[in-house]
Amino acid sequence: MPTDNSPPVSTHTMDRDALQKLIYLLNATDDPLIQEQALITLGNSAAFSVNQDIIRNLGGLSVIGGMLSDCVPKVKEKALNALNNLSMNIKNQEEIQVYITQVCGNVESAPLNSDLQLAGLRLLTNMSVTSDYHWKMTSSIPCLLRLLSEGTERTQIQVLKVLVNLSANPAVTGHLLRGQVPTLLLLLDNCTNRDILLRALVFAANLKKNVNNKNGTMDQYSESSVFFTLCGDSTAFAQKLASLLHHPDAEVKEQVVRILTQ
């Protein structure tokens, strides 16, 4: 009897027909448990680049995107996770970008620090790596800044990934500087989680650089704004930076120096 040397079936070896059946099933069923499992399988398969193109060509992005309107939080979360894996592909991003406003809405309405909120933030992180779709996220900047103040460390790290991406774009600088983050200075502390501290410093350094290039004026911003914290006559900010020059992490000190020398 001939030996079957073919590898066992797994999500990355699923053929086009199997993926098409999954997409059809997802579109046809109203059972949230089946929807969840189909989205998990599609999301796992989308971790492999060959499947990202196949799913797009089969019309899977719009089917998965349609699940963002589902009333079941777990279904929405799994749809966001699948789109997150699919968004590693530039051509896929061109289709996924139509859902950015809806994703921002999901992040804002989701329970604070929930898996649903984090899934949305992860997708926004991927979709903000380039500046192509930043303009679709600017209206959600107040929400992102609020989450930075109110969220757990896990949420803060994910929010800062999005904010760092946005802050690298001079066209978004004004929107960020007008925002309010009462706890921003509290994050700039030697006791802060290193991943949060470093990203908060990169965020501040990017904004300082863009302000210096644009020569923004004080009268455009309120005294409670990010602008006044970073660019006003803030003794507290200067003291925080001076203290962080003694931080043991080289990358942290590098960002402090970057801010001080701009």
Side-chain angles (χ1 to χ4, degrees), residues 88-158:
M88 305 302 287
N89 177 310
I90 294 297
K91 286 186 177 179
N92 285 356
Q93 283 200 1
E94 292 172 3
E95 292 192 26
I96 293 170
Q97 57 92 13
V98 301
Y99 301 109
I100 287 177
T101 302
Q102 194 172 356
V103 174
C104 289
N106 285 337
V107 168
E108 190 160 358
S109 62
L112 182 63
N113 306 316
S114 62
D115 288 338
L116 173 58
Q117 189 171 72
L118 288 163
L121 289 168
R122 281 192 291 269
L123 178 54
L124 291 180
T125 300
N126 277 353
M127 294 300 293
S128 62
V129 169
T130 69
S131 62
D132 294 349
Y133 310 117
H134 284 183
W135 63 277
K136 291 194 165 198
M137 303 179 196
T138 53
S139 61
S140 293
I141 285 173
C143 168
L144 294 173
L145 296 177
R146 176 177 58 80
L147 294 180
L148 183 58
S149 290
E150 299 177 3
T152 59
E153 288 191 349
R154 192 168 66 142
T155 299
Q156 287 177 323
I157 289 171
Q158 205 60 57

Side-chain angles (χ1 to χ4, degrees), residues 46-258:
F48 301 91
S49 57
V50 63
N51 292 334
Q52 293 170 9
D53 292 325
I54 294 173
I55 292 170
R56 181 186 70 253
N57 292 333
L58 289 171
L61 295 179
S62 61
V63 175
I64 296 169
M67 297 292 108
L68 297 180
S69 301
D70 199 280
C71 60
V72 180
K74 278 289 180 186
V75 172
K76 282 196 279 196
E77 177 201 333
K78 298 305 186 291
L80 287 165
N81 289 338
L83 289 174
N84 184 47
N85 284 346
L86 286 159
S87 69
M88 305 302 287
N89 177 310
I90 294 297
K91 286 186 177 179
N92 285 356
Q93 283 200 1
E94 292 172 3
E95 292 192 26
I96 293 170
Q97 57 92 13
V98 301
Y99 301 109
I100 287 177
T101 302
Q102 194 172 356
V103 174
C104 289
N106 285 337
V107 168
E108 190 160 358
S109 62
L112 182 63
N113 306 316
S114 62
D115 288 338
L116 173 58
Q117 189 171 72
L118 288 163
L121 289 168
R122 281 192 291 269
L123 178 54
L124 291 180
T125 300
N126 277 353
M127 294 300 293
S128 62
V129 169
T130 69
S131 62
D132 294 349
Y133 310 117
H134 284 183
W135 63 277
K136 291 194 165 198
M137 303 179 196
T138 53
S139 61
S140 293
I141 285 173
C143 168
L144 294 173
L145 296 177
R146 176 177 58 80
L147 294 180
L148 183 58
S149 290
E150 299 177 3
T152 59
E153 288 191 349
R154 192 168 66 142
T155 299
Q156 287 177 323
I157 289 171
Q158 205 60 57
V159 168
L160 279 166
K161 288 180 179 180
V162 181
L163 290 174
V164 165
N165 287 346
L166 294 176
S167 68
N169 182 359
V172 182
T173 301
H175 295 278
L176 291 167
L177 291 173
R178 280 189 289 273
Q180 299 182 18
V181 192
T183 60
L184 182 57
L185 284 180
L186 296 178
L187 296 179
L188 304 180
D189 191 273
N190 282 295
C191 297
T192 300
N193 175 311
R194 183 258 182 196
D195 289 336
I196 293 173
L197 175 58
L198 182 58
R199 288 185 172 91
L201 286 168
V202 173
F203 174 64
N206 286 348
L207 291 179
K208 285 277 286 183
K209 175 186 175 185
N210 291 339
V211 166
N212 290 342
N213 289 342
K214 290 184 74 173
N215 298 313
T217 57
M218 290 250 189
D219 57 8
Q220 298 172 352
Y221 306 100
S222 71
E223 291 188 10
S224 58
S225 66
V226 172
F227 177 88
F228 261 77
T229 300
L230 301 180
C231 308
D233 185 17
S234 176
T235 304
F237 184 48
Q239 289 173 341
K240 288 284 189 179
L241 293 176
S243 174
L244 289 171
L245 282 172
H246 303 288
H247 196 280
D249 188 272
E251 287 185 84
V252 167
K253 284 189 282 195
E254 180 184 332
Q255 290 303 320
V256 173
V257 170
R258 184 180 163 212

